Each structure stands twice: as structure tokens, then as C-alpha cells.
């Protein structure tokens, strides 16, 4: 009888363990849903500007000039509760004085100020105004090369925790799965750019380095960077995010970070984007954004 009770208790315990594991897995999956927010209908839009709430992980870097801050012409990407990612070349001059820079998040139009309560598009769709947060520390990748521009990555720790909303969210870092090579694949990218105050977006196809050299003339990407050929010739700020898509059951569920724009080459010929590959440095990013 005692043996039978023991077996019964073990079965109950086993079921409880399975329930607990299932709960933990569901919680993990739920947490992943909070990054890389994707609306499938917007994937087919031909608009060059985003909707106000589209790509809510993209922000803009600002630098102090006198008593105010001005646009530094660099994108930032939310990658953690208190961290954003950008290029090392965007912040190298402020490495010892992070208080001289700030980021503006939840931003759709670069002309919008943090004290604006609502920001609306031409169709009357409104979102809260942007939020400006100061930077507490800058962590550049230890192998970031100022001369070659390789491994052009920097993590900014903000002075305060980011208040996540429907319009301020992180981009996923981890893909569910990804191909061994990016070559001849189209990717979505987005951020702010030179020709329009509004947050922009586009498509670009990754090309081989041989093809890139022929397209870009004398310029070529560094060892850990790759080339992408954009559909449009728009010149985006450095730090624009190139994104892959997580697909589940044949449905696109979320975006994840593939690379950061580090240079736009447009010398009369085709426009070519030099992209800093993120894949080899994901662990470094995740370890420094905890």
C-alpha cells in the first residue's frame, strides 16, 4: 500500500513539475513577445516613412551644446530595460563624458520636443510625445577599431530605466533561427535619415563582398561588416537597424537585430550600405545589458 502511495505521489509530483516547466516556458515566450513588435500588414507598405508606433525601438542621439541638446545625427536601438545600442563612432568623442549626450525615445518626428504630450500624423493618429533620457555610461566594444571602423558597436546605459509603452519597446536580439549566410536575402531596416524628419524605413538586399567592391568603387566594408543594396537611395543616419524576422508556424511574429548601419557609400554610382554584423557580438551585447 505504501509503495502504491509512493508511486501515486511521484506521478503527482511529475505532473506538477511538467506544469511548472510549461508555465516557465510560457512566461519566456511571453517575454519574447514584448520585443520586436511586428504588424504583418505594414510589411507590404510602400511608404518611406513609418507609422508613429512602428519600429518603437528606434531613437535618436542628442549631444549637449551650451544649455540645450541638439541632434547628433545618429540612431540608437533599445536593447534592454536601461540600455540602447549605437555605433562606437557616434559616441567615441564623449566616452569620458557620457553626461554630454542623451537619447530621445518614442520619437517619430525629429522636430518633436520631449515636452509635447501628443504627436499626430497626417491621418490624425496620435501617440505620446518623445521622452529624453540622459546617458550614465558608455561601453564601447573592446575591439572597436577607430582606424578601420570595424566592430563599430557601443552600448549606452541610461540614467533611468526606460518606461516601456506600446510606443517605446526593445528590439529582439535573439532569433528563433537564422540562415548561415545573409547573402541575396532582403531585410527590412529603419531609423532616422537626412532627407526627412520622420522615422523612415526601407528594404535592402545583402550582397557579397565581391559584388560590393564592384558597386562601391574603392570603398569596402571591414572584416566583420557586410554590404547591403537598398531599394531606395535614402541616406540614413548611422545606427539604423537592419532587421530579420522571427517566423512561427509560417507567420511573421517579431523582428530581431541583424546589424547596424555604419556607412552609406553613394559616389555617383549605386548606393551601398555598410552594415556592422551583430551575430558574433550578441553575447557581448546581452552580457552588458543585464
Amino acid at each position: 500500500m505504501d509503495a502504491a502511495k509512493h508511486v501515486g505521489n511521484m506521478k503527482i509530483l511529475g505532473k506538477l513539475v511538467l506544469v511548472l516547466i510549461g508555465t516557465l516556458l510560457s512566461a519566456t515566450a511571453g517575454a519574447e513577445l514584448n520585443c520586436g513588435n511586428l504588424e504583418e500588414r505594414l510589411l507590404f507598405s510602400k511608404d518611406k516613412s513609418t507609422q508613429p508606433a512602428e519600429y518603437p525601438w528606434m531613437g535618436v542621439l542628442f549631444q549637449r551644446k551650451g544649455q540645450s541638446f541638439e541632434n547628433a545625427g545618429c540612431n540608437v536601438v533599445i536593447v534592454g530595460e536601461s540600455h540602447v545600442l549605437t555605433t562606437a563612432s557616434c559616441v567615441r568623442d564623449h566616452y569620458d563624458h557620457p553626461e554630454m549626450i542623451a537619447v530621445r525615445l518614442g520619437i517619430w518626428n525629429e522636430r518633436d520636443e520631449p515636452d509635447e504630450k501628443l504627436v499626430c500624423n497626417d491621418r490624425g493618429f496620435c501617440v505620446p510625445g518623445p521622452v529624453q533620457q540622459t546617458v550614465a555610461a558608455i561601453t564601447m566594444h573592446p575591439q572597436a577599431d577607430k582606424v578601420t571602423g570595424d566592430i563599430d558597436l557601443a552600448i549606452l546605459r541610461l540614467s533611468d530605466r526606460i518606461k516601456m509603452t506600446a510606443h517605446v519597446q526593445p528590439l529582439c536580439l535573439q532569433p528563433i533561427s537564422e540562415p548561415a549566410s545573409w547573402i541575396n536575402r532582403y531585410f527590412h531596416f529603419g531609423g532616422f535619415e537626412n532627407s526627412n524628419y520622420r522615422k523612415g524605413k526601407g528594404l535592402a538586399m545583402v550582397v557579397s563582398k565581391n559584388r560590393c567592391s564592384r558597386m562601391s568603387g574603392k570603398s569596402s566594408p571591414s572584416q566583420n561588416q557586410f554590404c547591403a543594396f537598398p531599394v531606395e537611395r535614402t541616406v540614413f543616419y548611422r545606427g539604423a537597424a537592419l532587421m530579420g524576422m522571427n517566423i512561427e508556424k509560417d507567420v511573421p511574429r517579431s523582428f530581431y537585430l541583424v546589424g547596424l548601419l555604419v556607412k552609406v557609400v553613394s559616389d555617383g554610382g549605386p548606393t551601398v550600405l555598410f552594415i556592422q554584423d551583430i551575430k558574433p557580438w550578441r553575447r557581448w551585447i546581452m552580457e552588458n545589458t543585464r
Side-chain angles (χ1 to χ4, degrees):
M1 192 67 177
D2 290 343
K5 285 183 178 180
H6 179 70
V7 171
N9 290 336
M10 290 299 291
K11 287 182 177 179
I12 293 172
L13 180 60
K15 289 180 180 179
L16 288 173
V17 170
L18 289 174
V19 169
L20 179 59
I21 291 173
T23 302
L24 289 172
L25 290 175
S26 296
T28 302
E32 280 297 303
L33 293 176
N34 292 327
C35 66
N37 182 47
L38 182 156
E39 288 189 60
E40 188 173 1
R41 66 179 180 86
L42 295 175
L43 297 177
F44 307 100
S45 169
K46 294 181 180 180
D47 292 339
K48 296 180 183 179
S49 295
T50 65
Q51 295 296 311
E54 198 175 0
Y55 299 169
W57 41 85
M58 296 308 305
V60 179
L61 184 73
F62 280 72
Q63 58 189 4
R64 186 181 292 279
K65 290 291 182 181
Q67 298 301 311
S68 60
F69 284 88
E70 66 176 29
N71 194 323
C74 289
N75 288 287
V76 300
V77 185
I78 300 174
V79 291
E81 293 181 341
S82 304
H83 297 84
V84 300
L85 184 70
T86 189
T87 66
S89 54
C90 280
V91 297
R92 183 173 279 110
D93 291 343
H94 302 291
Y95 181 74
D96 294 323
H97 298 282
E99 71 280 359
M100 297 298 292
I101 57 176
V103 300
R104 201 166 285 183
L105 307 177
I107 185 171
W108 176 60
N109 187 314
E110 293 177 86
R111 292 176 296 183
D112 296 333
E113 295 295 329
D115 56 356
E116 295 183 56
K117 292 185 178 180
L118 287 177
V119 175
C120 305
N121 67 1
D122 299 334
R123 300 169 188 172
F125 181 80
C126 300
V127 297
V131 176
Q132 185 161 300
Q133 294 190 224
T134 55
V135 175
I138 300 171
T139 301
M140 292 195 298
H141 193 281
Q143 294 175 279
D145 194 318
K146 183 178 180 180
V147 177
T148 66
D150 203 13
I151 319 181
D152 197 4
L153 297 171
I155 297 168
L156 311 183
R157 179 170 60 83
L158 306 182
S159 300
D160 297 300
R161 192 169 179 171
I162 300 169
K163 184 179 180 181
M164 302 296 179
T165 68
H167 314 298
V168 180
Q169 296 179 13
L171 177 58
C172 299
L173 288 172
Q174 291 281 35
I176 293 174
S177 63
E178 61 186 344
S181 172
W182 306 130
I183 304 300
N184 286 350
R185 292 177 182 270
Y186 276 99
F187 292 93
H188 292 262
F189 67 96
F192 293 86
E193 40 99 350
N194 289 306
S195 65
N196 195 323
Y197 290 111
R198 293 178 179 176
K199 183 168 45 179
K201 62 180 179 179
L203 279 174
M205 185 177 73
V206 175
V207 298
S208 68
K209 287 196 174 183
N210 287 337
R211 176 63 176 161
C212 178
S213 296
R214 291 196 294 270
M215 294 171 69
S216 61
K218 297 180 180 180
S219 300
S220 61
S222 298
Q223 181 180 350
N224 294 286
Q225 297 170 0
F226 57 86
C227 278
F229 178 63
V231 174
E232 301 288 344
R233 297 172 65 93
T234 308
V235 179
F236 280 73
Y237 297 156
R238 286 172 291 171
L242 189 77
M243 301 166 288
M245 279 187 285
N246 285 318
I247 310 296
E248 297 181 77
K249 297 181 179 178
D250 295 328
V251 177
R253 296 294 187 187
S254 60
F255 285 112
Y256 69 90
L257 185 61
V258 170
L260 291 184
L261 174 67
V262 295
K263 187 177 181 180
V264 178
V265 179
S266 184
D267 298 327
T271 297
V272 181
L273 311 179
F274 288 3
I275 307 292
Q276 175 62 57
D277 196 357
I278 291 298
K279 189 188 299 185
W281 323 116
R282 281 198 187 113
R283 182 181 294 275
W284 175 79
I285 296 170
M286 295 177 72
E287 287 177 350
N288 285 277
T289 54
R290 291 173 180 170

